[in-house]
Amino acid sequence: MTTQTPEHGPLLEVRNLSVSFPVPGGKLLRIIEDVSFSIARHEVFSIVGESGSGKSVTMMAVMRLLPEGAVVTGQVLYKGQDLLTMQPETLRRIRGSGISMVFQEPMSSLNPVLRIGPQIAEIIDIHHPGQTDAALRARVAELLGLVGVPSPEKRYDQYPHEFSGGMRQRVMIAMAIANEPDLIIADEPTTALDVTIQAQVMEVLRDVRAATGSSMVLITHDLGLVAENADRVAVTYGGRLAEQGQCRDVFAHPAHPYTVGLLQSVPDWRAPIDRELAAIPGQPPNPTNRPAGCAFSTRCPIARDSCTDIRPELAPVADDHMAACPWTRPGEAAMAPPRASLPPRPALSQAEDVLRVDGLRTHFALRTGWFGPRSAVKAVDGVDLQLRRGETLGIVGESGCGKSTLGRTILDLIPPTEGRISILGAPNGSLRGRALRQARRRLQVVFQDPNSSLDPQMSVHEIVAEPLRIHGDYTPARVDELLGQVGLDASAGVRRPSAFSGGQRQRIAIARALALQPDIMLLDEAVSALDVSIQAQIVNLLMTLQRDLGLSYLFISHDLSVVRHISDTVAVMYLGKIVEYGARDDIFARPRHPYTRALLSAVPVLRPEDGAVSERVVLTGDLPNPANPPSGCVFRTRCPVARDLCAQKMPALTGQADGHRFACHFPQG
Amino acid sequence: MRSFLAQGIARLLVLGIAGSFLAILIVLVVVVPFLPGYDPYQQDIMVSLMPPLSEDMGRFHVLGTDFLGRDLLSRLALAGRISLIIALGAVTLSLSIGMVLGLIAGYFRGWTETVIMGIADVQLAIPKVLLLIAVTALFGANLWQLILIIGLSGWVIYGRVARSIALTLREREFVLAARTMGATTSWNIRRHLVPNVTSQMLIVGSYEMSQIILLEASLSYLGLGVQPPTPSWGMMIFEGQNDLVYAPWLSVFPGLALFMLVIVIQIFSQFFTSETQTPR
Amino acid sequence: MIGFVLKRCLQALLTLLGVATVAFALSTLGGDPATLLSSADSTDAEIAAIRTAYGLDRPLIERYTDFMVSAAQGDFGNSLMMNVSATQLVLDRLPATIELAVTAFVLGIGLAFVLGLAIQITQSRLLKGAALTLAFTRQAIPVFWFGLLMMMLFSVHLQWLPTMGRGTLAHLVLPAITLASYELGLYLRLINAGFASEERQEYVRTALAKGQTRTKIVLRHMLPNALLPLITVAGLNLGHLLGGTVVAEVVFSWPGVGRLLIQAVSQRDFPVIMACVVLMAAIFVLMNLIVDLVYALVDPRVRMK
């Protein structure tokens, strides 16, 4: 992926772009401030930043797609013409033909009541009217084939809800390339997708770009995705550009303290795990209370007094490399705080089991139609687990693999169809009423979405007090103590959850889970919704709490790098079954199941030397319908090494003396 | 920016109109009944059908008199109070029944939900005016019966809204988390479902209030509301209908009062809705 | 799809069963026609004779079964006053009611539709503000008062149109406009709310990014989505329209089911009251069944299930 020199100046040039939104009270709130960059022909330019940094708003403003009321100033020159001031009719002719877009949510971005084919044909018809239906249909089928949608002729007449997430995003890409645009703007194109599907979609994007020679703007929060795909990168923070330049320069020699912190927050695949992650302290700025000077000054380790007042301009620090910080030079990593090492833990080998799951099945009855045959979705289909005191067991898998259903069944929120769950030796179903409620104290939960896991009508104090009140143990002092334990001030108690940022809300949820002094905490994607710098804070908090309180964690996640950092043992799930189970290093350094290998290789990595599997395996196809799983091995339909035997016989989860187990007839490595 | 300003002005204008209507109505139902010498039931055939702003032997009839010589303003005031009492009573009754049944249906699911929503479907299948006509025809209608009948027939909309909110709330993680803490069903309903459904219930209730006032007026227009001599706006309009040509004030003023009351309630209901739905 | 149709039909049948049960319960609880038909000086024996004649001395469950069986055949007994079949009385009046209700509905929803689309395509704030304000105002005026005001203006003062009765097209104008204006306001607000929520959908942004024109985005993308919820709401609001029709029939002396009902109420003619309520409810249930089936035909997401 080499940068090519522009043919005649830049393709798109953004000059001093600022965006403000009106807020109640008639004021304007500035969201984007003075952003400038340019995109050359044929290059991939990435805008990377955390949520709320303004990366999506920037490109929406460029295309004049912001909601009515937004005030946009500056210049956006596309081949020398200003998109911001041109006639709407002229702009309309550029949209979809010169510049096209791919959005984050492929389901809501497609019209639910129109067939797929006509939705793609529409973009051709707008810009090249007068073609016959047959010609349009043929061209659409060709495009669908190009982006890897199987049997395009049949798919033409289907509706969006009949497509999987990955297939819908392929449709969006087909639409975007239909008129061979100069520029494709891809706004978090794979964020809603699973990692193996993400790998497929990114491959499609690379292929179509190679075929059409378009430039691309890749908006993302995923640094690994940037490192693997972009030529040049701009890092946004608090509505401004913190740094921009050649991708390899910025990642190898970051100049802005924020970029340094951001890169270090990403769990390092090689780092020893007895150390904390390098989190950026504090909370991201909110447009309403941004400092007048540098937006990062409140969290910056090298900030000086003047930083809060004087806004630093983006200035060159090296050839084609600019940073908005007057105090650093590229590659100066000295400002990174030293990582604290975590206190050692007692050996796990002697520890008792706090949780045992044997032969667990959770099936959901399903009837197709009113008189249709009964069938069952086998969400969890024969799972065995052991969790020892003080251990973290990571459960990884993509959406639909049953990991969340497994968690909810263990929590007794869903009744199991079959099998045994013993918590501290007490099997499920053996307790009723008050005794059951007492037993439930031993196992507490932190969910993914901090918006949904805290009752919006309750104060933070009441939220943390709730478990104590249920069991009649409430004292105000205990609530304050719990808030302190997760790094929040007792004064936070009077406010509602809506006053807090995502990371702080997750701290509140952790405080509530700790209230009953549980032995086990089930962390269901507990850090997945958080930005990487905040995620590192919460991971550090969880690891410290585990050592201080002797907690055992069941850590359910789709994020492999976080699982690697936090887990002692890892179970990989696919379609309701555990396909590989073993010590962390067995799974990450010596994976044996082809699915584990594909999963690991699909994760975009920040540092090319990272990753356990050197060759990339891109899985073909989608996850099979869980109501109608394949015969034999459930993975065989997508497996690169499947043979006849796999269709006939389901492999058992067996393995080696060291406890590393895998369910494959033809293990790799 | 300009549209923002224009919106603000339009909003102020609307609230201004609503405010002045409200002031008139407050004077009507709160102040007028305390004026000395104005008895809504006092008949005087000598002063029948006097036009507005007329005076008779020291008694000033601001809005004129009716066929029996009763002072229109005092009758309007009393009818307004009755109308408000019926609407408030009926809304309170329907809201309570609907919220409880809806939350139970949505939280428990299964056959409980099937039965409750089945009853709701049956009730919804009989157009409300027809149902109320049949019921009042059979059981008669005094003030309390009207509150009871209208209240009982109006729970379905609250039930449906409460149920659909309960359906999502029961899957929300804070309710699941409470279950893992050992919370009982009644704890979850009291502590989580009720507080989270209340503002929606009040939004529906404020709109329904205006609908009930219109409904009660229709019933009394058809002769099925509170019975004479107790006044009601609908009945006053019906009585004035025959004298439409030479005494239009008899049906125009009750109609105006009705219109103002409904408008005021609807504007405040909309204002309340947009306030509660603006993210904090 | 066949499963869905069967399920929905069964549901409608159960609902009708429920309606008939409610009707039976009301008539059983709501007073004894025997005392109504007898005079003050009737002897106990005479009252008992009437009770026997009307079958009121039989066990409740037997009367219920009989009522349901006859109701299923459309038989609600004879009118107490006119001694003809109550159902026949209702059926005789039904065409007038349908004429009025259908005219008002078509006029109201049609105009709302045209106006709503015009507002969306032109994006004129003035048109939108004016139309919505009028809609809002009209909805705060009860049917009977609006009808009276119309009558006062067009029949009494201008003498353009007749005040009451049915017959010519001129007779239909005032009652139809009275009802249609309410429907217009209602549907205009609904259509607008529907478009407003569609406007925020991401597929609209996609269409803009494709370079599509405003008119085509409204017609091709937003309209089918905005119409779907409207279909369901329209079905449910038919009940409100039927209620309004009863009142309008009284105001304009329109010889429909509504006037029959009010007349029956004043004469305490229970079989006629029951026939009116149950048959109107049956029509309403049937309309909603049709609406739901239409919805399933239009929405691919429902059709697939």
Side-chain angles (χ1 to χ4, degrees):
Chain A
M1 209 163 300
T2 55
T3 315
Q4 300 177 12
T5 44
E7 285 146 20
H8 339 271
L11 179 68
L12 188 80
E13 199 180 353
V14 174
R15 288 185 190 160
N16 310 99
L17 184 75
S18 295
V19 179
S20 306
F21 285 114
V23 285
K27 289 208 186 85
L28 284 173
L29 189 61
R30 185 156 277 205
I31 303 292
I32 304 287
E33 212 163 337
D34 204 14
V35 165
S36 303
F37 57 85
S38 66
I39 298 160
R41 284 164 203 274
H42 313 301
E43 87 169 348
V44 177
F45 183 81
S46 182
I47 304 179
V48 68
E50 298 179 284
S51 48
S53 66
K55 54 191 188 299
S56 290
V57 175
T58 304
M59 291 320 285
M60 291 296 158
V62 163
M63 292 299 281
R64 280 166 67 179
L65 285 174
L66 290 174
E68 207 181 336
V71 179
V72 182
T73 58
Q75 278 187 313
V76 176
L77 300 178
Y78 167 68
K79 292 179 172 173
Q81 291 174 283
D82 191 352
L83 295 179
L84 296 185
T85 53
M86 70 173 45
Q87 287 299 314
E89 182 59 21
T90 323
L91 175 69
R92 189 180 70 72
R93 289 177 195 283
I94 293 173
R95 286 176 178 168
S97 126
I99 306 176
S100 61
M101 301 190 79
V102 176
F103 298 104
Q104 175 174 351
E105 291 289 342
M107 181 70 223
S108 45
S109 297
L110 291 165
N111 194 331
V113 302
L114 298 182
R115 293 171 200 275
I116 286 291
Q119 290 197 56
I120 303 174
E122 182 183 15
I123 195 169
I124 305 169
D125 189 48
I126 292 168
H127 299 286
H128 305 282
Q131 298 189 49
T132 63
D133 283 354
L136 275 177
R137 200 181 168 103
R139 170 70 177 142
V140 169
E142 183 195 342
L143 284 166
L144 283 173
L146 199 64
V147 296
V149 174
S151 44
E153 274 298 334
K154 197 182 109 204
R155 295 297 231 168
Y156 187 98
D157 291 316
Q158 290 185 336
Y159 289 94
H161 68 266
E162 297 170 78
F163 282 61
S164 68
M167 285 298 154
R168 283 180 209 135
Q169 200 58 299
R170 287 169 196 261
V171 169
M172 286 299 291
I173 294 171
M175 229 179 248
I177 59 167
N179 294 320
E180 305 197 339
D182 300 313
L183 179 65
I184 300 169
I185 299 172
D187 185 358
E188 301 265 14
T190 57
T191 304
L193 306 175
D194 279 315
V195 61
T196 61
I197 306 298
Q198 164 172 290
Q200 294 175 356
V201 168
M202 288 313 296
E203 199 172 51
V204 169
L205 268 175
R206 267 192 293 270
D207 290 350
V208 298
R209 235 179 43 75
T212 59
S214 324
S215 301
M216 181 163 84
V217 177
L218 177 65
I219 303 168
T220 183
H221 67 282
D222 185 335
L223 292 160
L225 214 56
V226 178
E228 288 187 356
N229 293 284
D231 303 310
R232 288 172 69 246
V233 63
V235 181
T236 55
Y237 188 82
R240 298 179 200 144
L241 293 191
E243 184 162 1
Q244 69 165 305
Q246 293 285 329
C247 197
R248 54 172 181 274
D249 295 344
V250 171
F251 282 15
H253 313 291
H256 195 283
Y258 172 65
T259 318
V260 174
L262 188 66
L263 289 167
Q264 288 185 340
S265 321
V266 178
D268 187 336
W269 289 65
R270 294 155 306 164
I273 59 146
D274 56 351
R275 292 188 183 272
E276 291 193 335
L277 290 173
I280 303 176
Q283 304 299 321
N286 178 320
T288 49
N289 60 5
R290 235 179 246 163
C294 174
F296 190 57
S297 56
T298 51
R299 302 171 74 190
C300 181
I302 62 161
R304 308 179 186 195
D305 289 347
S306 61
C307 290
T308 47
D309 306 320
I310 301 164
R311 205 180 82 185
E313 295 297 323
L314 207 59
V317 290
D319 187 31
D320 194 15
H321 188 174
M322 299 199 287
C325 179
W327 314 117
T328 61
R329 298 269 71 83
E332 265 181 44
M335 58 205 164
R339 301 187 191 190
S341 55
L342 292 158
R345 289 184 298 172
L348 287 171
S349 52
Q350 271 86 45
E352 47 156 349
D353 285 344
V354 287
L355 170 74
R356 279 190 68 90
V357 172
D358 296 301
L360 187 70
R361 286 175 209 281
T362 308
H363 296 180
F364 299 111
L366 185 79
R367 257 206 295 188
T368 47
W370 215 41
F371 300 106
R374 274 175 187 279
S375 64
V377 174
K378 298 173 180 173
V380 176
D381 199 29
V383 163
D384 305 306
L385 297 171
Q386 300 83 40
L387 178 65
R388 287 167 291 185
R389 187 172 293 282
E391 181 184 26
T392 300
L393 170 61
I395 298 176
V396 294
E398 299 175 281
S399 44
C401 76
K403 57 185 188 302
S404 281
T405 307
L406 172 64
R408 287 175 188 213
T409 312
I410 292 172
L411 287 169
D412 199 18
L413 294 173
I414 301 174
T417 311
E418 199 182 303
R420 243 166 93 98
I421 303 162
S422 312
I423 295 167
L424 297 166
N428 62 312
S430 65
L431 300 172
R432 289 270 179 278
R434 179 175 296 273
L436 177 67
R437 284 203 293 280
Q438 285 301 323
R440 279 188 159 180
R441 305 182 59 152
R442 315 284 25 118
L443 171 63
Q444 291 292 297
V445 62
V446 178
F447 287 111
Q448 168 171 11
D449 183 358
N451 294 320
S452 166
S453 65
L454 308 177
D455 190 332
Q457 301 292 331
M458 287 163 92
S459 72
V460 167
H461 188 92
E462 278 306 309
I463 288 169
V464 177
E466 186 181 12
L468 299 170
R469 287 191 195 276
I470 289 173
H471 290 276
D473 302 340
Y474 170 71
T475 57
R478 174 79 178 123
V479 174
D480 294 347
E481 183 194 346
L482 286 162
L483 287 173
Q485 233 169 358
V486 296
L488 290 173
D489 198 71
S491 66
V494 296
R495 286 186 285 167
R496 299 274 167 123
S498 54
F500 294 88
S501 68
Q504 288 169 316
R505 285 184 218 172
Q506 212 57 320
R507 287 177 193 265
I508 298 164
I510 293 170
R512 177 179 60 186
L514 289 175
L516 297 176
Q517 296 173 297
D519 296 280
I520 313 165
M521 289 244 273
L522 194 149
L523 305 165
D524 188 354
E525 301 273 11
V527 298
S528 302
L530 305 175
D531 280 318
V532 63
S533 71
I534 304 300
Q535 174 178 301
Q537 291 178 2
I538 303 297
V539 168
N540 288 342
L541 173 68
L542 287 170
M543 294 184 82
T544 308
L545 288 171
Q546 179 172 47
R547 280 157 174 78
D548 292 350
L549 305 173
L551 293 166
S552 309
Y553 288 153
L554 203 57
F555 191 87
I556 297 175
S557 179
H558 71 279
D559 186 333
L560 291 153
S561 53
V562 174
V563 167
R564 181 191 172 274
H565 185 80
I566 202 172
S567 306
D568 302 295
T569 312
V570 177
V572 182
M573 284 187 77
Y574 185 83
L575 223 59
K577 296 182 194 301
I578 291 179
V579 296
E580 188 158 8
Y581 191 116
R584 189 256 326 268
D585 289 337
D586 284 340
I587 301 292
F588 283 89
R590 295 173 291 279
R592 304 293 303 276
H593 196 282
Y595 176 64
T596 312
R597 297 174 74 83
L599 200 58
L600 289 173
S601 85
V603 180
V605 287
L606 183 54
R607 306 160 187 92
E609 59 275 23
D610 277 358
V613 185
S614 46
E615 87 282 16
R616 165 151 291 180
V617 190
V618 176
L619 294 178
T620 52
D622 281 326
L623 191 76
N625 180 358
N628 185 20
S631 66
C633 174
V634 287
F635 183 57
R636 70 174 169 84
T637 51
R638 302 172 71 197
C639 183
V641 299
R643 298 182 213 167
D644 293 347
L645 175 64
C646 302
Q648 291 149 17
K649 192 162 164 277
M650 194 176 82
L653 188 68
T654 53
Q656 298 152 196
D658 61 2
H660 186 183
R661 287 174 284 169
F662 31 84
C664 183
H665 296 304
F666 309 103
Q668 309 290 296
Chain B
M1 195 62 213
R2 192 182 304 153
S3 72
F4 223 67
L5 207 68
Q7 261 175 26
I9 291 173
R11 205 176 158 90
L12 278 179
L13 196 71
V14 167
L15 282 180
I17 293 174
S20 44
F21 281 10
L22 186 67
I24 295 172
L25 289 166
I26 286 175
V27 169
L28 184 64
V29 299
V30 179
V31 180
V32 169
F34 291 101
L35 295 178
Y38 289 91
D39 178 353
Y41 295 114
Q42 187 188 329
Q43 300 180 7
D44 184 355
I45 208 76
M46 298 301 289
V47 293
S48 83
L49 294 178
M50 285 177 73
L53 299 176
S54 53
E55 198 201 328
D56 172 66
M57 305 208 301
R59 281 189 61 186
F60 191 63
H61 299 289
V62 180
L63 299 180
T65 59
D66 70 2
F67 187 70
L68 295 173
R70 294 174 295 196
D71 180 56
L72 196 64
L73 181 66
S74 353
R75 287 186 68 73
L76 214 54
L78 181 60
R81 299 181 125 197
I82 291 170
S83 194
L84 277 175
I85 290 171
I86 291 175
L88 277 173
V91 164
T92 311
L93 189 61
S94 326
L95 191 150
S96 318
I97 299 172
M99 181 162 93
V100 170
L101 289 182
L103 288 182
I104 288 174
Y107 191 79
F108 287 96
R109 309 290 320 260
W111 65 267
T112 317
E113 184 184 24
T114 312
V115 170
I116 292 176
M117 295 332 280
I119 294 172
D121 278 346
V122 170
Q123 198 163 322
L124 211 59
I126 311 175
K128 210 161 164 186
V129 172
L130 294 183
L131 181 67
L132 290 177
I133 288 173
V135 174
T136 45
L138 290 166
F139 298 98
N142 63 30
L143 183 68
W144 301 110
Q145 279 170 330
L146 273 175
I147 291 178
L148 195 69
I149 291 167
I150 298 177
L152 285 177
S153 70
W155 71 276
V156 175
I157 178 160
Y158 303 92
R160 289 189 149 202
V161 173
R163 169 179 162 271
S164 74
I165 298 176
L167 281 181
T168 57
L169 281 177
R170 75 192 290 273
E171 301 298 332
R172 284 284 287 274
E173 276 111 355
F174 59 80
V175 175
L176 297 180
R179 282 171 64 191
T180 69
M181 294 167 206
T184 56
T185 301
S186 94
W187 174 282
N188 267 335
I189 291 183
R190 274 182 295 125
R191 295 295 184 113
H192 293 300
L193 268 60
V194 169
N196 277 292
V197 86
T198 307
S199 70
Q200 273 302 318
M201 290 289 99
L202 292 179
I203 285 174
V204 175
S206 61
Y207 175 74
E208 278 291 291
M209 175 118 178
S210 66
Q211 296 304 299
I212 287 176
I213 286 173
L214 286 174
L215 189 66
E216 187 268 336
S218 296
L219 282 181
S220 66
Y221 174 84
L222 297 174
L224 297 167
V226 289
Q227 295 303 306
T230 312
S232 73
W233 290 343
M235 199 202 324
M236 291 165 77
I237 292 173
F238 182 77
E239 287 168 354
Q241 194 175 335
N242 295 329
D243 305 325
L244 197 59
V245 182
Y246 51 95
W249 63 89
L250 288 182
S251 44
V252 166
F253 286 122
L256 263 181
L258 189 52
F259 169 69
M260 287 200 293
L261 182 58
V262 173
I263 278 277
V264 163
I265 296 173
Q266 288 201 347
I267 287 177
F268 282 105
S269 155
Q270 287 225 327
F271 188 71
F272 180 55
T273 309
S274 64
E275 281 301 297
T276 45
Q277 285 175 349
T278 314
R280 269 171 293 180
Chain C
M1 186 69 194
I2 295 172
F4 174 79
V5 173
L6 285 174
K7 184 178 175 177
R8 197 57 196 76
C9 287
L10 192 72
Q11 212 180 342
L13 212 65
L14 280 174
T15 308
L16 278 181
L17 219 63
V19 171
T21 307
V22 170
F24 175 76
L26 286 180
S27 60
T28 311
L29 294 171
D32 190 340
T35 44
L36 192 77
L37 289 174
S38 55
S39 48
D41 52 343
S42 301
T43 61
D44 285 357
E46 282 166 348
I47 292 176
I50 295 171
R51 292 177 63 89
T52 314
Y54 279 86
L56 296 172
D57 53 347
R58 291 175 304 145
L60 197 63
I61 185 78
E62 203 177 300
R63 283 162 58 197
Y64 176 68
T65 324
D66 273 6
F67 179 87
M68 295 304 271
V69 168
S70 358
Q73 294 161 349
D75 176 10
F76 294 91
N78 281 356
S79 160
L80 300 182
M81 298 297 151
M82 312 221 248
N83 210 24
V84 288
S85 153
T87 308
Q88 196 51 50
L89 279 178
V90 176
L91 290 180
D92 289 344
R93 300 291 195 94
L94 204 54
T97 296
I98 289 177
E99 177 185 310
L100 180 56
V102 167
T103 311
F105 179 77
V106 171
L107 214 61
I109 203 167
L111 281 174
F113 199 73
V114 172
L115 213 53
L117 275 181
I119 289 172
Q120 280 313 309
I121 292 172
T122 59
Q123 290 190 291
S124 155
R125 282 172 188 283
L126 191 71
L127 183 61
K128 183 171 172 178
L132 285 182
T133 307
L134 282 178
F136 192 80
T137 312
R138 170 63 189 92
Q139 283 192 282
I141 305 175
V143 164
F144 53 90
W145 196 53
F146 190 82
L148 279 185
L149 293 182
M150 299 281 287
M151 217 194 267
M152 212 149 88
L153 180 64
F154 291 107
S155 310
V156 178
H157 284 290
L158 299 172
Q159 304 208 325
W160 287 352
L161 295 162
T163 47
M164 52 178 58
R166 178 181 179 226
T168 65
L169 199 63
H171 285 92
L172 182 61
V173 174
L174 282 186
I177 287 181
T178 301
L179 290 174
S181 57
Y182 182 90
E183 299 291 299
L184 169 63
L186 177 73
Y187 287 109
L188 186 65
R189 289 175 72 180
L190 285 170
I191 288 172
N192 246 301
F195 272 118
S197 87
E198 290 308 318
E199 191 90 63
R200 291 191 291 271
Q201 298 301 312
E202 289 177 25
Y203 69 80
V204 173
R205 191 179 61 182
T206 307
L208 277 172
K210 283 175 175 178
Q212 190 54 283
T213 58
R214 174 79 197 170
T215 310
K216 282 201 179 157
I217 290 175
V218 170
L219 292 177
R220 191 182 139 102
H221 286 278
M222 290 161 67
L223 184 60
N225 284 288
L227 272 186
L228 287 175
L230 194 71
I231 295 176
T232 314
V233 179
L236 290 174
N237 272 310
L238 286 178
H240 200 283
L241 175 62
L242 287 178
T245 311
V246 172
V247 180
E249 284 180 6
V250 173
V251 176
F252 292 102
S253 305
W254 185 265
V257 182
R259 267 198 79 202
L260 176 70
L261 175 62
I262 298 302
Q263 209 179 327
V265 164
S266 64
Q267 298 167 334
R268 301 184 74 72
D269 192 344
F270 294 109
V272 177
I273 297 175
M274 285 311 137
C276 285
V277 172
V278 176
L279 289 176
M280 292 289 254
I283 291 174
F284 181 57
V285 170
L286 191 71
M287 293 305 289
N288 270 296
L289 176 64
I290 294 170
V291 160
D292 276 10
L293 297 182
V294 167
Y295 191 108
L297 272 182
V298 180
D299 189 342
R301 285 162 298 189
V302 178
R303 191 165 55 207
M304 288 300 155
K305 278 183 196 146

